[in-house]
Amino acid sequence: MGYVKDRFKEIADIQSQEIKNLIAQHGETKVGDVTLAQVYQGMRGITGLVTETSLLDSNEGIRFRGFSIPELRDRLPKAEGGNEPLPEGLFYLMLTGQVPTQEDVEHISATWARRSHVPNHVFDVIESFPVSSHPMTQFCAAILALQTESKFAKAYEEGISKKQYWDFVYEDSMTLIARLPRIAAYIYRRKYKNGEHIQPDGMLDWSANFAHMLGFNDDGFKELMRLYLTIHADHEGGNVSAHATHLVGSALSDPYLSFTAGMTGLAGPLHGLANQEVIRWIEELQKELGTDRPTKEQIAQYIKDTLAAGKVVPGYGHAVLRKTDPRFTAQMEFAKKHCPDDATVQTVWNVYEVAPAILESTGKIKNPWPNVDAHSGSLLKHYGLVEEDFYTVLFGVSRALGVLASLCWDRALGFPIERPKSITTEWAKQFVAKNEPVA
Ligand code: CMX
């Protein structure tokens, strides 16, 4: 597999020793207290995981190995003639902590192209679903079907030392990432393009080849794919898709099984499916008002109606972020450059102008600002990818980069099976009674 793997192992060995020292010297240091409210309310704000690939600041947004999204757009290698970063470079950065050279990125592109062949039985599994099934259902089933290829599962069955786990997890992760675009494109063409499939072009980078297999050869769309697959890749470890992949992987389930768990979580409307929900919400708004350019006043009323109906405004809010998501801003910048007059893009921008104040005025929504999902659908629609129930699959292909790089780290650092303590309400009541100060 070559030098990227060797480089990763060297860096991981150094880090592994550093962690041993850290635990030996500071293992008893407290990193926080846990309240009963946190235990009941989705473990918000509890520090309880190590994820090396990225770190989220609630005001600044995500940093990948210390680099913000604008810094990544500036520093990561680009395709010839392109301006957006190649996601291969972000994968390298997340895996090694080092900014890749053009050569490193080309090496990863070539490796993924070489490994991209999808065995026939995976297509048979997809074909066994009704065409009407949701693309995320087909995607999850196809990843599970690919599990027959797991080198980790095979090696474990034959008997390997703990020290070798990372090696097979790395191999599986690289192969899985290589094959995802073909699987995703197959689902797309099957569902929306009468099953007229497009063969991969091994000369293209990972994103451009994906765009090509989907049937989009516009240079702007290829650039959008490079940006999209970069910015959706990782969002530290506590979000549902990253946490689920990590958790299932901690039982030594192989990368295919672990990543399937992440993807079934991404398919939820409060997580990755929100990108589909946003565009549906905007289209319903446009339809109801009979215009594709609703005024800010009309949008404001529609937001209030959505809240009054007890529904969420999709694309807004976040469990950690407390400001506009820089992934939203990156897409907004892309739109300003490539499609500033598009009616749906302009509606997204008008929603951005009126929604935060209305959401804030409810007094309960902790983050009234847009997240990554608020913008992506309008850009995809602009280039003709109008089938919104496919959008979460695109998110999933990108998310593989972060969660599988993390899984390599989990095994290289020898992290144990995850098993936090849970309580019952009866236990909580007794605990509170026992600890209540005597009057
Ligand atoms: N519209 C309406 N109500 C919202 C809201 C929104 N966009 N965001 C939060 N709220 C509500 C919550 O439902 C909750 O209501 P209840 O007390 O009645 O249950 C209350 O405000 C407090 O929630 P919070 O602490 O601000 O938010 P959470 O951390 O619980 O949830 C999230 C975060 C993202 C699930 C939530 O903001 C939401 O549902 N947003 C819309 C869906 C969305 O865009 N999801 C994508 C997130 C990014 C991603 O993972 O891809």
Side-chain angles (χ1 to χ4, degrees):
M1 162 55 217
Y3 70 89
V4 177
K5 183 175 172 182
D6 295 339
R7 206 169 278 173
F8 165 65
K9 182 64 170 113
E10 270 167 39
I11 294 164
D13 280 346
I14 296 168
Q15 179 118 346
S16 185
Q17 192 52 51
E18 280 173 1
I19 291 172
K20 282 195 186 102
N21 297 344
L22 202 64
I23 295 174
Q25 287 170 30
H26 305 284
E28 300 307 313
T29 303
K30 288 198 173 169
V31 292
D33 294 316
V34 178
T35 65
L36 207 51
Q38 286 174 304
V39 173
Y40 273 98
Q41 293 169 341
M43 297 194 278
R44 225 47 108 252
I46 298 178
T47 302
L49 284 174
V50 175
T51 301
E52 304 289 2
T53 45
S54 64
L55 188 67
L56 182 60
D57 178 274
S58 55
N59 289 314
E60 256 206 345
I62 193 70
R63 279 185 181 267
F64 301 86
R65 296 286 190 174
F67 294 101
S68 67
I69 286 179
E71 285 164 356
L72 286 187
R73 288 178 89 186
D74 188 39
R75 294 193 56 172
L76 287 181
K78 321 270 186 304
E80 211 180 313
N83 288 308
E84 298 300 339
L86 287 163
E88 288 91 325
L90 176 63
F91 179 76
Y92 182 97
L93 176 71
M94 290 190 290
L95 194 69
T96 66
Q98 297 172 354
V99 177
T101 62
Q102 196 76 34
E103 192 199 351
D104 296 329
V105 161
E106 281 164 17
H107 177 80
I108 291 183
S109 276
T111 305
W112 289 347
R114 232 181 11 256
R115 291 188 183 206
S116 63
H117 176 75
V118 175
N120 278 338
H121 75 273
V122 175
F123 298 127
D124 293 343
V125 166
I126 297 171
E127 291 292 344
S128 72
F129 277 81
V131 176
S132 59
S133 333
H134 195 280
M136 276 305 276
T137 308
Q138 299 184 45
F139 188 56
C140 295
I143 299 161
L144 210 49
L146 255 191
Q147 191 270 348
T148 53
E149 302 279 297
S150 174
K151 291 207 161 42
F152 178 84
K154 190 161 177 284
Y156 193 86
E157 203 176 314
E158 286 165 3
I160 44 168
S161 149
K162 285 179 177 182
K163 291 200 168 73
Q164 292 169 288
Y165 291 168
W166 74 272
D167 188 330
F168 296 97
V169 166
Y170 180 92
E171 293 299 337
D172 277 356
S173 297
M174 292 300 269
T175 304
L176 175 51
I177 293 169
R179 293 176 178 180
L180 288 174
R182 175 83 170 112
I183 289 173
Y186 189 93
I187 293 167
Y188 181 75
R189 303 289 305 179
R190 170 177 189 251
K191 190 166 166 72
Y192 310 108
K193 304 290 172 189
N194 300 318
E196 289 159 15
H197 297 291
I198 300 170
Q199 290 304 310
D201 179 346
M203 299 311 286
L204 296 173
D205 59 85
W206 192 64
S207 316
N209 185 37
F210 187 19
H212 158 77
M213 288 188 287
L214 287 168
F216 296 86
N217 286 307
D218 185 291
D219 284 342
F221 186 81
K222 287 180 184 155
E223 278 287 89
L224 175 64
M225 274 299 98
R226 293 178 187 124
L227 176 66
Y228 186 104
L229 297 174
T230 297
I231 63 176
H232 287 78
D234 211 31
H235 217 224
E236 73 168 34
N239 66 78
V240 171
S241 52
H243 192 185
T245 306
H246 164 81
L247 169 68
V248 173
S250 83
L252 297 186
S253 305
D254 63 59
Y256 297 90
L257 298 173
S258 307
F259 183 59
T260 304
M263 289 302 96
T264 52
L266 192 77
L270 296 189
H271 190 20
L273 202 76
N275 57 10
Q276 161 191 309
E277 298 298 299
V278 167
I279 213 72
R280 283 200 180 151
W281 183 83
I282 288 179
E283 284 181 351
E284 275 162 24
L285 151 77
Q286 291 170 330
K287 200 167 148 212
E288 203 164 291
L289 297 167
T291 169
D292 62 356
R293 292 180 188 272
T295 64
K296 286 180 200 160
E297 291 70 30
Q298 288 174 314
I299 293 171
Q301 189 54 50
Y302 198 78
I303 293 169
K304 287 176 191 160
D305 294 347
T306 302
L307 294 173
K311 298 182 195 163
V312 297
V313 176
Y316 280 75
H318 201 272
V320 180
L321 277 170
R322 294 294 174 258
K323 287 272 162 64
T324 297
D325 191 333
R327 301 173 297 175
F328 176 90
T329 312
Q331 294 178 85
M332 195 170 178
E333 280 169 14
F334 185 95
K336 279 183 184 159
K337 188 167 159 197
H338 294 273
C339 48
D341 300 322
D342 182 283
T344 306
V345 164
Q346 291 211 342
T347 302
V348 165
W349 293 349
N350 285 334
V351 174
Y352 182 35
E353 285 199 28
V354 298
I358 300 169
L359 297 178
E360 192 149 38
S361 71
T362 65
K364 70 166 186 178
I365 299 171
K366 295 192 191 69
N367 176 34
W369 301 103
N371 59 54
V372 66
D373 299 312
H375 212 311
S376 53
S378 63
L379 286 167
L380 294 164
K381 225 183 128 189
H382 172 79
Y383 286 102
L385 208 167
V386 295
E387 300 86 357
E388 74 275 356
D389 51 358
F390 188 73
Y391 293 171
T392 312
V393 175
L394 297 174
F395 193 157
V397 171
S398 171
R399 188 45 61 101
L401 303 178
V403 300
L404 292 173
S406 276
L407 204 62
C408 292
W409 273 97
D410 290 349
R411 297 292 77 79
L413 296 176
F415 286 164
I417 188 164
E418 193 171 292
R419 203 336 187 155
K421 178 83 186 85
S422 70
I423 56 167
T424 62
T425 298
E426 194 46 44
W427 184 96
K429 287 195 297 198
Q430 286 177 17
F431 181 82
V432 172
K434 242 191 311 184
N435 287 281
E436 220 151 65
V438 185

